[in-house]
Amino acid sequence: EMQRSLVGSEMCIRDSLEAVIGDINSGMTKRFKDAFAKINVYFSDCYIKLFGGGTAILKLTDPENILESGIDIEVQPPGKKLQSLYLLSGGERALTVIALLFALLSYQPSPFCILDEIDAALDDANIVRFSKFLREYSADTQFIVITHRKGTMECADIMYGVTMEESGVSKLLSVKINAKE
């Protein structure tokens, strides 16, 4: 009889744990759906700003199993057909990923963000759009951008440069930019 009592209490504990896990999964699914919907809107907005048009959407690979699903990125640059991220040029891919990064920052702002040569694959026209876009977002987030691109440097408030005047000895230079022209 004692053994029956132990088996019964094990079943009650298992049922209780399964109920708790079900509640947690339900809550996570709801929070994920809400966050995903908002990020999707931000992604579309950021994409349009960076590309000067087009469309972008995030899609779940398995909408029936949200917590296990992957995410596909479908984009349509202005004047082109809807395509997968893998079919874009390097510059288009870089701008798309930048749009996704800024969509995530729009959803969950960060006090600062370090971007290491994020603009390397962009051509001059896209650098101009990226720089303007970065400037807009710098009102809420401080960006530390490592770049070799003049167009990106031109949107900075402060520039730091590292030079090597003699072998193995680095020197730091800083320039505070007061007036924008």
Side-chain angles (χ1 to χ4, degrees):
E1 194 167 306
M2 184 176 201
Q3 197 171 18
R4 252 191 236 148
S5 174
L6 286 175
V7 170
S9 62
E10 282 179 17
M11 300 226 4
C12 285
I13 291 171
R14 184 180 323 130
D15 290 345
S16 295
L17 286 175
E18 286 176 358
V20 167
I21 290 169
D23 288 346
I24 290 170
N25 283 345
S26 175
M28 285 184 354
T29 299
K30 181 184 179 334
R31 284 196 310 270
F32 181 84
K33 277 182 179 178
D34 293 345
F36 187 75
K38 289 176 185 171
I39 291 168
N40 216 343
V41 170
Y42 295 141
F43 177 52
S44 178
D45 291 346
C46 291
Y47 186 89
I48 290 167
K49 286 178 186 174
L50 282 167
F51 276 84
T55 59
I57 190 166
L58 301 171
K59 288 187 174 180
L60 296 173
T61 57
D62 185 2
E64 300 302 315
N65 190 5
I66 289 176
L67 298 180
E68 305 277 328
S69 179
I71 298 173
D72 281 334
I73 299 172
E74 291 184 359
V75 295
Q76 183 175 3
K80 295 187 177 183
K81 65 179 182 165
L82 186 69
Q83 53 192 311
S84 167
L85 184 64
Y86 302 108
L87 300 175
L88 299 176
S89 71
E92 289 171 330
R93 229 185 330 234
L95 267 186
T96 301
V97 172
I98 291 168
L100 182 56
L101 169 68
F102 280 87
L104 295 170
L105 283 174
S106 296
Y107 178 73
Q108 186 71 46
S110 174
F112 73 94
C113 185
I114 299 173
L115 305 174
D116 187 2
E117 294 193 40
I118 194 170
D119 56 357
L122 303 180
D123 62 16
D124 289 339
N126 286 329
I127 286 285
V128 170
R129 278 203 301 271
F130 169 68
S131 295
K132 288 179 184 174
F133 189 78
L134 187 61
R135 193 88 184 126
E136 286 178 28
Y137 273 81
S138 68
D140 297 321
T141 299
Q142 180 179 14
F143 291 96
I144 299 167
V145 182
I146 300 161
T147 186
H148 295 282
R149 305 297 299 271
K150 181 182 174 196
T152 304
M153 289 180 211
E154 288 173 346
C155 80
D157 293 326
I158 301 173
M159 271 196 317
Y160 294 95
V162 179
T163 63
M164 192 178 298
E165 292 179 2
E166 54 184 277
S167 183
V169 180
S170 298
K171 183 177 178 182
L172 182 65
L173 306 168
S174 69
V175 177
K176 187 169 186 171
I177 300 149
N178 292 324
K180 297 288 176 197
E181 296 179 25

